[in-house]
Amino acid sequence: MLGAVVQLCHFGVQYVLISRISTGKLRMAEDKGLQKSTATTLVLVVLLDGARHGYDIAREVERRSENRLMFSHGTLYPVLYALEKSGDLESCWEQPIGERKRRVYALTDSGRREAEKAIAEWREFSTAMSKVIGANGHEQPA
Amino acid sequence: MATNSLPREEMPGPPLLEDFDDESQARALVEDYLDHLAANLIGRVASEDRARLKDEAAFHLERLTAHYASQGRPQRAAAEMAIQQYGDPSQIADQITLSLYEGGRASRLFKFFGRANVTAFAIVGFAQFVYVLLLQLRVFAPSGAAYDLPLDPGDMRVLLPWPLPLPQHPLDFFVLYVYPILAPFLIGWLAGRWIPVRPARAVTGAMLVAIIYSFVVGVSVLPQTAGLLLAIFQLAFWLPISAAMAEASLAMNLRRKLRRSYGERHVA
């Protein structure tokens, strides 16, 4: 009986440890890179307006955030590749005459759905946070 | 005067970056960065994907350099800023490898825990399971009743000639010495072959879970001292050896892939 209880407790400990390991080990963001979930949302939302290449996506994020979101541009490409692999993006090469070729990314139908879902989730999260911050009396003066 | 008649100290050395004009220096810096990025991907990403990544990075850096140059900076300074803005090539290469390894419509298990962690946990877990099973057999069947083999020692020696240790040494020998010593090497070797980025980290995480499992299960189903010693042995031996072996295996695997990739492209 005691052995069974101990083993059950052990499995519980294992579950918690595995959760900590999974959140701590494979996070793609380091230093000035983007957090994976944040970057995915940003890329999907920016591409809602139309197809863009990687440099354009990075500059658009900086422009829309009024330079509040500054990050290592190279960390954007792993996100683009992961989204392409999961079917949310499609890409092709373009080579305007006299210029270097560039890879242009566009949302697929599933990517469009993911983008809208991500926007809804962020709005809900933002509303909830505003309410909590407001409830503590830390609202900004009008 | 022929070059080879010059004294060594007067021999012309390789040109320095500063010997070239500003634009050439900028180009050289970007090319060097792209070479570093591609070098970190050799053996981890297919050559077509590597070429694509390099082309995309080249375009991005060209645009970034032009952006900083339009602010009045010299070309070389603009290229340096562009490279700094783009990020560390080895870090980006790791992230790209991870995204290609982890990306896609993975199962819920892979998505929640991460493919590398699941792989490491599977390898370590299986080795752990075998070890605990062997230890239980040894403890609860000390007379060797579970080890009755169909052949007598003489017949076995015909099948397994010297210097193989059977049948002189009983199976206890394997349980106590051979398996626990060889297991971390095998764990690390498999992890290095199956996990393309930072396998030591994944193996360390899985081993820590296994050590706690060993301690808890060991003290509940084995004699308490044996359970504690098992956990300590895994902490002191299995953990560092398997982590080191994982990185060594990854390095050997990458080197082998590099040689094979080079050989396929340059076969006469």
Side-chain angles (χ1 to χ4, degrees):
Chain A
M1 180 67 181
L2 177 64
V5 170
V6 166
Q7 292 223 27
L8 275 171
C9 291
H10 147 67
F11 283 126
V13 166
Q14 230 179 337
Y15 178 80
V16 168
L17 273 173
I18 289 170
S19 305
R20 283 176 177 257
I21 287 166
S22 69
T23 53
K25 297 294 183 201
L26 292 179
R27 194 175 289 276
M28 278 167 45
E30 288 184 29
D31 298 331
K32 291 194 310 184
L34 289 169
Q35 293 285 335
K36 186 179 174 185
S37 59
T38 311
T40 303
T41 303
L42 290 171
V43 165
L44 289 172
V45 168
V46 163
L47 286 173
L48 270 174
D49 293 341
R52 294 174 191 268
H53 48 70
Y55 175 76
D56 214 9
I57 295 170
R59 299 298 291 169
E60 185 65 11
V61 167
E62 288 173 355
R63 187 190 69 79
R64 290 191 194 185
S65 68
E66 293 171 358
N67 289 334
R68 288 190 182 93
L69 289 177
M70 303 291 286
F71 54 93
S72 300
H73 284 196
T75 58
L76 197 61
Y77 288 91
V79 177
L80 290 170
Y81 302 146
L83 285 171
E84 194 175 4
K85 201 172 172 190
S86 64
D88 292 331
L89 293 186
E90 54 191 5
S91 66
C92 61
W93 287 109
E94 275 184 9
Q95 184 156 23
I97 298 167
E99 290 185 27
R100 190 187 283 269
K101 68 176 179 181
R102 75 283 309 267
R103 190 100 183 167
V104 175
Y105 296 87
L107 287 175
T108 58
D109 291 336
S110 69
R112 204 160 284 276
R113 284 193 295 274
E114 284 296 316
E116 282 154 14
K117 186 176 148 195
I119 290 171
E121 281 171 3
W122 266 100
R123 284 201 173 128
E124 202 178 311
F125 176 72
S126 172
T127 307
M129 286 294 287
S130 300
K131 285 185 189 303
V132 168
I133 293 166
N136 280 345
H138 290 127
E139 284 165 311
Q140 296 291 324
Chain B
M1 188 190 298
T3 307
N4 58 8
S5 66
L6 284 173
R8 181 178 285 274
E9 54 273 13
E10 289 181 31
M11 288 276 212
L16 299 173
L17 197 59
E18 285 70 23
D19 295 336
F20 298 95
D21 61 50
D22 193 43
E23 202 172 315
S24 300
Q25 287 182 34
R27 228 183 352 258
L29 282 173
V30 169
E31 286 298 323
D32 185 61
Y33 177 88
L34 293 173
D35 287 341
H36 276 85
L37 181 63
N40 278 292
L41 292 167
I42 291 173
R44 302 203 287 183
V45 166
S47 59
E48 299 80 19
D49 290 331
R50 223 166 39 241
R52 169 189 161 176
L53 296 168
K54 212 173 158 183
D55 286 338
E56 285 193 89
F59 171 73
H60 199 122
L61 285 166
E62 184 186 81
R63 284 291 177 100
L64 266 177
T65 305
H67 167 71
Y68 286 119
S70 70
Q71 294 173 353
R73 292 186 176 88
Q75 284 288 330
R76 179 175 171 168
E80 283 170 350
M81 286 193 70
I83 286 166
Q84 198 178 10
Q85 171 83 69
Y86 199 80
D88 178 72
S90 57
Q91 179 187 326
I92 291 167
D94 279 354
Q95 291 179 5
I96 287 170
T97 307
L98 263 177
S99 72
L100 293 173
Y101 177 66
E102 297 276 348
R105 298 209 181 276
S107 69
R108 288 180 92 176
L109 183 71
F110 280 174
K111 274 189 177 167
F112 184 70
F113 293 111
R115 190 170 165 181
N117 282 342
V118 171
T119 306
F121 197 72
I123 298 168
V124 170
F126 183 73
Q128 177 81 351
F129 170 75
V130 168
Y131 193 29
V132 172
L133 195 66
L134 288 174
L135 282 174
Q136 288 191 62
L137 282 174
R138 182 194 175 265
V139 168
F140 294 109
S143 65
Y147 307 156
D148 275 344
L149 298 167
L151 301 172
D152 62 37
D155 294 332
M156 280 190 65
R157 184 42 84 195
V158 172
L159 289 173
L160 300 169
W162 191 87
L164 290 172
L166 275 178
Q168 266 74 10
H169 295 282
L171 280 175
D172 281 2
F173 175 75
F174 293 94
V175 174
L176 287 179
Y177 300 108
V178 176
Y179 182 82
I181 290 171
L182 288 183
F185 290 97
L186 190 61
I187 289 168
W189 178 72
L190 282 173
R193 285 185 73 90
W194 291 347
I195 303 171
V197 181
R198 294 190 290 270
R201 209 183 332 180
V203 164
T204 302
M207 278 300 312
L208 288 173
V209 173
I211 288 165
I212 293 176
Y213 176 86
S214 296
F215 176 71
V216 174
V217 173
V219 298
S220 59
V221 300
L222 295 171
Q224 208 165 39
T225 319
L228 183 60
L229 284 174
L230 172 59
I232 291 172
F233 176 67
Q234 286 189 314
L235 182 66
F237 186 72
W238 278 35
L239 178 67
I241 295 292
S242 56
M245 190 65 201
E247 290 297 328
S249 172
L250 177 65
M252 286 189 289
N253 200 26
L254 289 177
R255 200 175 164 81
R256 181 180 57 84
K257 283 183 180 176
L258 174 62
R259 269 203 302 270
R260 194 167 65 187
S261 162
Y262 183 82
E264 281 166 5
R265 286 176 174 277
H266 292 84
V267 169

